Amino acid sequence: MKTILITGGAGFIGSHVVRLFVKKYPEYKIVNLDKLTYAGNLENLTEIEKEPNYEFVKGDIVDGDFIQQLFTDYDFNGVIHLAAESHVDRSISNPMEFIMTNIVGTVNLLNAAKSHWEINFRGKLFYHISTDEVYGSLGEEGIFTEETAYDPHSPYSASKASSDHLVRAYHDTYGLPVVISNCSNNYGPFQFPEKLIPLFINNIKTNKALPVYGKGINIRDWLYVEDHAKAIDLAFHQGKSGETYNIGGNNEWKNIDLIRKLCEIMDTRLERKEGTSEKLITFVKDRAGHDLRYAIDSSKIKEELGWEPTHSFEQGLGKTVDWYLQNEKWMKRVTSGDYQKYYEQQYG
Ligand code: NAD
Ligand code: TYD
């Protein structure tokens, strides 16, 4: 019996990872530690919440004593660390939360893993989930590999870069067994509607303006979240300690093209006249320090671990739209209360 700590399991990607692990590995005990910030939602996990190999613990990774005690209580064999403040726009208006959770919180987990495991590191693993945004911004050419130098621009990406460096430092200095993966933009069910795709699905549905930053020329690589969860499963079980794996969808889209595609799908699903949703597109002031382009070379994880995305963008986007349209109650609940305040502040 292995006991695995998954942090941030009530968030978007974390909930997919928890669901996959609880179902696929009945012989593991999965402990989900989450603070339940605005982005954490236990409703994302109703499918598995009653499983005997699953346990939820509410807590804050910034509280070092609490984290040490948790390691004493559960005697974890492995950690998959996803808990983070994750939205670039929020990092611009409130960087301190990002420094505390993403950097201090990660160091608290590293310290606890080090002190509880250092008698014998064998069979232990600290797996840190990171982002392609740490590599900075590309021009029209180029691609991020695992060797690309870090060059973060937003407080979010700088805090993630910092945590990645600390994870590597604990490996190099203390011999802590670690794996890091850096993934491109995820999309899919259960993503909080502050990120581009769910925000725009919700705005189209409710006939609200679609705030496109700048000229909409920024490019992102999009990966369906379940494909990311499968990559995490592989890297956790077969990744080599001390290694980094880039994960991407090989699926670059200019924002404005993606938004037009989404409008098209929504018109069909909502049985609206062709071109109706596009009329909601509104170009607004650009994001400060807006990275132009991300593109990721995921050949290492493909060659070494045999991972490849299984969803085409067409398929993934269709499934995502259907999920949001079928889960109106989920959307209503997460957009009540504080969401309205955030929306006012961000978009006026
Ligand atoms: P999310 O914002 O949806 O979820 C984050 C979760 O962490 C929430 O459940 C929240 O309650 C929890 N959390 C926040 N602060 C905490 C704290 N101090 N203590 C305990 N729990 C806390 O994020 P996500 O999009 O699911 O991203 C998960 C991870 O994957 C992050 O580390 C992020 O940097 C990384 N990542 C995200 C993407 C993406 O496109 N979303 C891409 C690559 C990497
Ligand atoms: P986002 O989903 O916030 O992910 P990230 O910034 O981590 O890549 O944004 C994706 C792209 O969409 C990014 O280039 C910013 C842009 N964007 C808008 O144009 N308008 C919006 O309201 C949001 C949230 C994002």
Side-chain angles (χ1 to χ4, degrees):
M1 182 93 183
K2 274 191 172 177
T3 307
I4 312 292
L5 172 65
I6 299 183
T7 70
F12 166 48
I13 302 170
S15 63
H16 287 274
V17 175
V18 167
R19 201 173 309 108
L20 175 71
F21 272 65
V22 167
K23 284 186 179 174
K24 188 170 172 189
Y25 301 107
E27 71 277 22
Y28 292 179
K29 184 183 173 77
I30 302 299
V31 179
N32 168 18
L33 167 68
D34 200 294
K35 183 182 174 184
L36 300 181
T37 67
Y38 77 93
N41 184 355
L42 289 178
E43 219 183 311
N44 300 353
L45 290 163
T46 43
E47 197 184 329
I48 53 90
E49 69 187 359
K50 297 206 166 68
E51 295 300 328
N53 64 335
Y54 171 72
E55 191 176 329
F56 172 68
V57 177
K58 186 170 189 288
D60 188 344
I61 57 169
V62 176
D63 182 344
D65 294 338
F66 163 74
I67 295 296
Q68 287 285 352
Q69 189 58 48
L70 196 73
F71 272 71
T72 306
D73 293 345
Y74 286 90
D75 198 17
F76 300 117
N77 304 92
V79 175
I80 305 178
H81 175 37
L82 294 114
E85 286 291 335
S86 69
H87 190 43
V88 173
D89 292 327
R90 288 187 194 249
S91 83
I92 295 169
S93 45
N94 188 11
M96 256 343 260
E97 288 281 330
F98 288 70
I99 307 308
M100 295 312 291
T101 289
N102 298 1
I103 307 178
V104 177
T106 301
V107 175
N108 283 337
L109 288 162
L110 287 167
N111 283 337
K114 172 181 170 286
S115 59
H116 285 79
W117 294 347
E118 78 190 331
I119 302 162
N120 186 0
F121 281 139
R122 268 180 57 146
K124 306 287 197 290
L125 183 66
F126 189 101
Y127 181 7
H128 178 63
I129 307 300
S130 192
T131 164
D132 61 356
E133 304 195 22
V134 297
Y135 296 121
S137 182
L138 294 164
E140 278 172 20
E141 297 293 309
I143 194 155
F144 300 136
T145 73
E146 287 81 358
E147 274 70 52
T148 303
Y150 278 26
D151 181 25
H153 299 282
S154 71
Y156 164 64
S157 54
S159 67
K160 291 296 290 186
S162 173
S163 63
D164 293 10
H165 288 315
L166 285 155
V167 172
R168 270 188 208 103
Y170 273 61
H171 172 264
D172 297 347
T173 308
Y174 308 112
L176 188 75
V178 308
V179 162
I180 299 177
S181 58
N182 296 79
C183 189
S184 61
N185 286 58
N186 285 216
Y187 70 98
F190 300 110
Q191 186 169 32
F192 192 79
E194 62 187 352
K195 307 276 166 57
L196 182 73
I197 291 179
L199 174 74
F200 278 32
I201 291 174
N202 192 38
N203 283 16
I204 294 171
K205 169 104 199 311
T206 53
N207 279 308
K208 271 165 80 176
L210 304 177
V212 180
Y213 295 159
K215 296 193 175 108
I217 55 167
N218 305 72
I219 295 171
R220 298 290 182 265
D221 171 66
W222 294 92
L223 178 70
Y224 191 65
V225 62
E226 287 177 6
D227 281 326
H228 188 191
K230 284 183 192 157
I232 290 173
D233 178 14
L234 265 181
F236 181 72
H237 289 99
Q238 293 171 39
K240 255 177 61 195
S241 174
E243 293 290 316
T244 293
Y245 299 91
N246 278 354
I247 303 170
N250 202 12
N251 177 39
E252 285 181 56
W253 283 79
K254 196 182 273 187
N255 287 346
I256 192 66
D257 296 338
L258 187 162
I259 291 158
R260 292 213 168 98
K261 173 109 207 131
L262 193 59
C263 287
E264 223 179 272
I265 300 176
M266 290 293 284
D267 280 346
T268 312
R269 297 294 206 273
L270 297 172
E271 297 178 1
R272 290 178 179 171
K273 211 174 118 223
E274 204 185 311
T276 308
S277 302
E278 263 201 48
K279 294 203 182 97
L280 297 168
I281 292 176
T282 314
F283 291 93
V284 300
K285 192 166 164 267
D286 208 354
R287 173 187 277 173
H290 198 171
D291 287 336
L292 180 65
R293 175 171 165 254
Y294 303 142
I296 201 139
D297 176 354
S298 44
S299 51
K300 178 175 171 182
I301 191 167
K302 181 179 175 190
E303 279 155 27
E304 294 186 13
L305 306 184
W307 175 85
E308 264 187 302
T310 58
H311 289 77
S312 69
F313 198 43
E314 197 81 16
Q315 246 181 347
L317 206 51
K319 266 170 93 166
T320 304
V321 166
D322 289 340
W323 186 87
Y324 281 100
L325 294 180
Q326 285 156 14
N327 287 275
E328 249 176 74
K329 277 195 191 138
W330 181 95
M331 183 61 92
K332 281 228 168 77
R333 276 196 283 271
V334 302
T335 52
S336 62
D338 281 352
Y339 183 80
Q340 303 300 334
K341 262 192 261 159
Y342 165 76
Y343 205 93
E344 274 299 306
Q345 262 170 20
Q346 182 64 26
Y347 300 104

